[in-house]
Amino acid sequence: MRIRLLGPVELRVGADGFTSVAGAQRRAVLALLALRLGHLVSVDQLCELLWDEQPPASARAAVQGHVAALRKVLAGTPFELGTRDSGYLLTGPAGAVDALRFEQLAGTAGELIESGAGPEAVTLLEEALRLWRGEALADLPDTPLRAAAVDRLERARTAALLGWAGLRLGQGTGAAAVPLLEQGVRSDGLREELVALLMRCLHQAGRPAEALTAYHRARVRLDEELGIHPGPALRAALAEVLADDRAVEPTAATAPAARPAPRPSAVPRRLPRRHPDFVGRVPDLARLDRACAPGPGGGGRAGDGPVLVVGPAGVGKSALVTAWAHRVADRFPDGLLHAELRGLDSDPARPEDVLAGFLHALGVPGDAVPAGRSARAARYREHTRGRRLLVLLDDAADADQVADLLPEGPESTAVVTSRSSLEGLVALDGAVLLRLAPLPEDDALHLLERALTPERLRAEPEAAARLAGLCDHLPLALRIAAARLADRPDRAVAELVAELADERTRLAVLDADGTLSVTGRLRLTHRRLSPTAAELLAALAVHPGREVDTQASTALLAADTATAHRAIGELASHHLLTAAAPGRHARTDLVRLFGAELLAGRPGPDRRLLHERLADYYLAALQHCGSFLDPGQEDTGPPAHPPRSVPAAGGIRTALDWFDAEEPAIGALIASADTDPARVWRLALTCGSLYYGAGRFSDWLGCARTGLEAAERCGDPVAVALLLNCRAQALVALERRPEAAEAARRAVATVESVAGPGAGSVRVRALATLALVTAMLGNSAEAQRLAASAALLAREYGDRRRLVDATVHQGWVSLAVGDREGAQRLSREARELLPATPVTQVHLWSLLTEAQALPPTVRDDAADLAWHRLLAACQEAGLLYLHAVAEQSYAAHLLARGRGPEVGGRLRSALDRFRAVDRQAGYLSEFTIGLEEALGLRAGRRPTDD
């Protein structure tokens, strides 16, 4: 991408990233020319864009100045800005302008949808929507022409979003669309079909409470801003969400007529005592203040629904609302009521009993309290109507338990706490939802300091911070840990940290007694889960990552995607999982360890089956994502438990994004003793192309070493040879060439006398790798012989994939020995053996070899076109290492052509990318050192500077 319009207007001239064009008017000129790329833009249109209908006398001269400046800025880019009789014409590749690229992708997706190719359309629409960085043309002068352009782009964006989210919903993966839909609703909340689609996706994700909140917000906005009721689209979405609940919202026509409430003979002051160690929560207290703020003139609140405070077990919901209630008690002159509803206990409080207590507190004599829930609820409404009361309802089980306990009218406030989201309360009573997160680190340390002493924590600051982390920053766990330390003043904080660091006993250490227990609180939550959600909570214990994706959960359940979505949504609604990114959820360590306790109670074969399902899912996912980098990757056979879905990667960049997020879990799975060796070596092998594409060469080498050990334990010579070749490739990338040559020779020797297509395939790959590293070591004749042998064997075996590998390597060896014509021919042959799409890493390496092999006689413009095509493709794919090599090679080409002034910029671009690769790989490469020396940047540098 060269010109970005879908956000602030930016231009990339060299390889140093995007920069803003100086001056809002100049940016506007560039934007209009880019939007109408290939079409003449008149001077009058530019004047209208800049000044509307009142251009100054110097307008044309100003436009000419902006155009002249832009010509200088655009030099060295694929764009050309020409002058015509009546205006100006910008030409260049449409795909390098993000707005035009967006239109291309959306248009192609529309054609795919019409032809029934929904999954492919989803991938294109996701790529299109990722191009947006905010409001289009965000930093241009505010004129009608700019507004019209923004409106057109935003309408196209909304159409793409609706199409993409609708497809996701149809596939059963609507949860992935929720973040973008929420963003769309924030910017265009009056568009009913957008809100309706958000509601359906939230509902499918198992988040009906948030779906109903979205409905109520839209209903209020439509009423306040347009004076209308929700239309058919919103009403239909609401009906779907409430399909299992036939209750009807009360309307003004059916609501009982207001009448004066009898004055109570007593003003109740029922609040639990304030937690002595309550600390922090300043933003959360402010959110409660805003949610419960009185309306204009000090009257009732803007809405009369309750405030619902939800969060995981032990997060401090009760402590927060109690502390807030004590702070604001004087705002409620007619009384304070509190009830502990024991929602998760085996014997929760009955609403009729709570109502009797409330009526008594409000001055109703015992003999005047009616019998039955309905009659008591009616009397309670009479005694609260028109009063200014605060009612705290702690630990609610569900909306039904709470419904009759809410005071009547907007003058009073009810605050409800719960570990679940109480969908009905949000739907029918318009509750305001506040989610409570664990304490920030500073507040967690402050709590420990209050419970112990400041001096004790200052003596061991690192141990104190570690202790807070091991408690997941949850107030309950922190209080239990502090109690254990307070009981023994001579005990070091580090001693308790060491005890908690043992994951086998951490939950036991955090169980003080029957009433103050992390495990006990989690068991209460677990008891309310559906069987499928409970099964997933235990199954996730085999997943070694802090985050899990929907596909992994689907594989563990051996269910369809929709079932997994519902189970994930249920766990999230009980705050056992937290949404981390579209399709990804995080869990705390304490929840993970609780799941492990649940899993430990299952039979051994069941636990092994879960480990196998997870490993097989990652194997299938790696094969799918790796195919975008290496289409000829080894086929290690179908997994025993094939997953129902794999990541929706549509190209190199999305494949690498998925791998970057999942690599910690994959690495842990490969290193785990619970993963059987046959799966370990397959996982390690299939990671290779993704590690290479990500530039994580040290991690790749470690993974290959583990895989090789597993292959040796299996006693499979083909597997051993494959992993030896994988190790050799990693060593080549790390520039440890003698070691790489030795590993490749061992790979060839391992299968020298082994028969079968698998042995032949690995023999070709190992010979090609050995040819490459032999050429790097300077033995040209031997390298050519090895490369020719690899190609000949591939043809003999009739293996097209191995022929691609052998031909690519043979082309590189030809270049290394000075045979430019042969290098170009072989690189083209390799590319012709591959499908044109998707573009893979093999395509790009072939393009690089072709560009490096350009003859000295080729014209500059033709050579530049080849190099620019390669660099743009590398940029689009997100391949840092390959892009860096290409930039450095282009610099060498420019220097050989006598174009010295252009060399420095290319070398700096290559250096930036090599440094980025080094940071990922964890070492300082010879490429980086050489470039820094060439650019005069090595003086006084240390390896750690990178």
Side-chain angles (χ1 to χ4, degrees), residues 281-299:
R281 295 292 191 197
V282 174
D284 300 308
L285 291 167
R287 290 164 64 203
L288 275 171
D289 283 336
R290 289 194 297 272
C292 302

Side-chain angles (χ1 to χ4, degrees), residues 540-583:
L540 287 174
V542 305
H543 194 293
R546 291 189 64 87
E547 293 182 3
V548 295
D549 66 0
T550 303
Q551 287 85 7
S553 301
T554 303
L556 285 169
L557 287 174
D560 57 84
T561 304
T563 299
H565 269 297
R566 286 192 294 271
I568 290 170
E570 187 177 345
L571 294 178
S573 71
H574 284 87
H575 302 92
L576 297 168
L577 294 178
T578 305

Side-chain angles (χ1 to χ4, degrees), residues 531-884:
T532 304
E535 180 185 353
L536 179 59
L537 179 62
L540 287 174
V542 305
H543 194 293
R546 291 189 64 87
E547 293 182 3
V548 295
D549 66 0
T550 303
Q551 287 85 7
S553 301
T554 303
L556 285 169
L557 287 174
D560 57 84
T561 304
T563 299
H565 269 297
R566 286 192 294 271
I568 290 170
E570 187 177 345
L571 294 178
S573 71
H574 284 87
H575 302 92
L576 297 168
L577 294 178
T578 305
R584 301 184 63 79
H585 285 76
R587 57 196 167 152
T588 64
D589 284 339
L590 295 179
V591 169
R592 177 177 57 82
L593 295 176
F594 177 70
E597 283 194 359
L598 296 174
L599 184 65
R602 304 280 182 87
D606 290 356
R607 298 197 300 271
R608 283 194 298 275
L609 178 61
L610 290 172
H611 283 287
E612 290 172 2
R613 285 176 181 170
L614 186 65
D616 286 354
Y617 158 69
Y618 276 117
L619 181 58
L622 287 166
Q623 287 170 341
H624 172 65
C625 292
S627 66
F628 292 103
L629 289 100
D630 179 9
Q633 62 184 347
E634 293 292 339
D635 181 6
T636 59
H641 309 287
R644 299 196 183 189
S645 63
V646 293
I652 294 174
R653 185 179 290 276
T654 50
L656 289 175
D657 287 345
W658 174 84
F659 183 67
D660 182 61
E662 293 289 349
E663 191 276 337
I666 295 168
L669 202 62
I670 290 171
S672 171
D674 292 317
T675 310
D676 66 273
R679 286 180 168 87
V680 168
W681 75 255
R682 286 175 169 85
L683 286 167
L685 177 69
T686 316
C687 282
S689 61
L690 291 157
Y691 271 125
Y692 186 87
R696 300 177 62 167
F697 305 140
S698 294
D699 293 332
W700 183 16
L701 181 61
C703 179
R705 184 183 302 113
T706 304
L708 177 58
E709 292 169 355
E712 289 170 342
R713 287 201 300 276
C714 290
D716 182 345
V718 172
V720 170
L722 283 169
L723 270 298
L724 281 168
N725 185 62
C726 184
R727 174 175 168 79
Q729 291 171 328
L731 288 165
V732 169
L734 286 165
E735 301 161 39
R736 292 161 58 176
R737 292 162 186 164
E739 294 173 77
E742 176 58 26
R745 288 191 196 96
R746 284 183 59 199
V748 173
T750 299
V751 290
E752 194 66 44
S753 59
V754 178
S761 176
V762 69
R763 191 178 296 119
V764 172
R765 296 203 84 158
L767 281 170
T769 303
L770 184 56
L772 176 70
V773 71
T774 301
M776 290 177 171
L777 291 170
N779 191 341
S780 299
E782 178 64 6
Q784 287 179 294
R785 186 191 69 78
L786 290 167
S789 297
L792 180 61
L793 278 176
R795 290 188 178 90
E796 287 179 1
Y797 296 140
D799 190 331
R800 188 184 184 92
R801 294 178 306 160
R802 296 291 75 80
L803 183 57
V804 171
D805 289 335
T807 308
V808 168
H809 284 76
Q810 196 174 16
W812 195 94
V813 169
S814 295
L815 177 66
V817 301
D819 180 7
R820 291 175 179 265
E821 183 179 346
Q824 286 213 319
R825 174 179 53 79
L826 290 164
S827 297
R828 281 194 295 270
E829 285 180 9
R831 262 203 339 279
E832 288 167 1
L833 289 168
L834 292 167
T837 57
V839 174
T840 67
Q841 193 166 231
V842 178
H843 288 84
L844 299 180
W845 268 113
S846 297
L847 285 173
L848 175 60
T849 303
E850 280 188 62
Q852 290 171 324
L854 287 169
T857 56
V858 73
R859 289 171 43 191
D860 276 358
D861 56 350
D864 286 345
L865 181 62
W867 283 106
H868 288 162
R869 181 175 62 159
L870 169 64
L871 294 171
C874 291
Q875 175 75 24
E876 188 74 18
L879 291 166
L880 278 174
Y881 176 72
L882 183 53
H883 197 165

Side-chain angles (χ1 to χ4, degrees), residues 5 27-37 41-42 45-46 49 140 145:
L5 309 177
R27 290 194 293 273
V29 172
L30 175 62
L32 185 56
L33 290 167
L35 283 173
R36 300 184 183 178
L37 189 74
V41 178
S42 69
Q45 288 173 319
L46 291 169
L49 173 66
L140 299 193
L145 190 58

Side-chain angles (χ1 to χ4, degrees), residues 198-243:
L198 170 62
M199 291 174 61
R200 289 189 171 96
C201 289
L202 284 166
H203 184 226
Q204 188 182 78
R207 298 158 63 183
E210 294 171 63
L212 295 166
T213 298
Y215 171 80
H216 281 286
R217 286 175 179 161
R219 182 190 65 182
V220 170
R221 283 196 65 182
L222 289 168
D223 180 46
E224 292 179 349
E225 298 181 31
L226 301 179
I228 62 174
H229 297 296
L234 269 180
R235 291 200 303 272
L238 177 65
E240 289 181 24
V241 176
L242 297 176

Side-chain angles (χ1 to χ4, degrees), residues 6 10 51 114 341 407 799 885:
L6 303 179
E10 294 177 338
W51 298 285
E114 290 179 3
L341 300 183
D799 190 331
V885 172

Side-chain angles (χ1 to χ4, degrees), residues 26-250:
R26 191 166 299 163
R27 290 194 293 273
V29 172
L30 175 62
L32 185 56
L33 290 167
L35 283 173
R36 300 184 183 178
L37 189 74
H39 298 278
L40 184 67
V41 178
S42 69
V43 175
D44 290 341
Q45 288 173 319
L46 291 169
C47 290
E48 181 185 355
L49 173 66
L50 300 181
W51 298 285
D52 194 16
E53 296 179 355
Q54 296 179 326
S58 59
R60 287 182 174 269
V63 168
Q64 291 171 355
H66 290 314
V67 169
L70 287 173
R71 279 203 184 100
K72 293 180 181 177
V73 173
L74 291 169
T77 74
F79 295 99
E80 183 176 344
L81 179 51
T83 303
R84 300 295 184 269
D85 290 341
S86 57
Y88 302 96
L89 177 70
L90 182 67
T91 57
V97 180
D98 61 356
L100 304 184
R101 175 65 174 159
F102 171 81
E103 292 176 353
Q104 290 173 346
L105 291 168
T108 305
E111 295 171 2
L112 289 171
I113 292 171
E114 290 179 3
S115 65
E120 292 84 353
V122 165
T123 300
L124 291 183
L125 288 171
E126 285 177 350
E127 184 179 348
L129 291 169
R130 277 197 302 271
L131 294 172
W132 286 77
R133 298 167 292 111
E135 182 187 4
L137 311 179
D139 52 355
L140 299 193
D142 190 11
T143 63
L145 190 58
R146 179 257 181 194
V150 170
D151 181 65
R152 181 180 67 81
L153 289 168
E154 291 289 352
R155 280 189 280 109
R157 178 190 195 181
T158 301
L161 175 58
L162 287 169
W164 170 70
L167 289 171
R168 280 288 198 180
L169 186 69
Q171 294 173 348
T173 58
V178 167
L180 281 183
L181 285 172
E182 287 178 332
Q183 181 181 332
V185 168
R186 282 194 293 272
S187 56
D188 191 6
L190 296 176
R191 184 152 186 156
E192 293 190 48
E193 61 266 40
L194 202 59
V195 181
L197 191 51
L198 170 62
M199 291 174 61
R200 289 189 171 96
C201 289
L202 284 166
H203 184 226
Q204 188 182 78
R207 298 158 63 183
E210 294 171 63
L212 295 166
T213 298
Y215 171 80
H216 281 286
R217 286 175 179 161
R219 182 190 65 182
V220 170
R221 283 196 65 182
L222 289 168
D223 180 46
E224 292 179 349
E225 298 181 31
L226 301 179
I228 62 174
H229 297 296
L234 269 180
R235 291 200 303 272
L238 177 65
E240 289 181 24
V241 176
L242 297 176
D244 297 325
D245 185 355
R246 305 301 176 186
V248 180
E249 292 184 273

